[in-house]
Amino acid sequence: MANIEWTDAFEQRLREKLEEDYEQADRIVVWASHAEKPLKEGGIIDAKGSADSMIKWIKKELGV
């Protein structure tokens, strides 16, 4: 397992990335709430893909 150092700079970059992703998700939900034919199943957010992307980004930032 890698030794990971949690610094203020890393936390700020992570916070910015999370806020960006949550803001995008919020815009999608607002848009979807105005749709004439709401989605019945499957959703609009690829949770697995999103989680994979966040893990990849965190590893890149930490140099893991």
Side-chain angles (χ1 to χ4, degrees):
M1 180 172 267
N3 236 353
I4 298 173
E5 184 178 347
W6 190 280
T7 65
D8 289 340
F10 171 73
E11 185 170 329
Q12 182 59 34
R13 289 192 309 273
L14 177 58
R15 181 178 307 283
E16 289 169 4
K17 176 68 173 161
L18 289 170
E19 287 176 3
E20 176 185 315
D21 287 353
Y22 287 129
E23 286 170 2
Q24 180 179 6
D26 185 56
R27 287 190 298 271
I28 292 170
V29 169
V30 169
W31 172 82
S33 72
H34 292 64
E36 289 181 22
K37 296 180 181 178
L39 298 171
K40 294 187 182 193
E41 57 184 79
I44 56 176
I45 296 173
D46 176 6
K48 181 173 175 24
S50 296
D52 289 344
S53 293
M54 184 55 66
I55 290 170
K56 183 178 178 181
W57 185 86
I58 290 170
K59 286 181 170 182
K60 182 183 98 149
E61 287 296 314
L62 293 174
V64 176

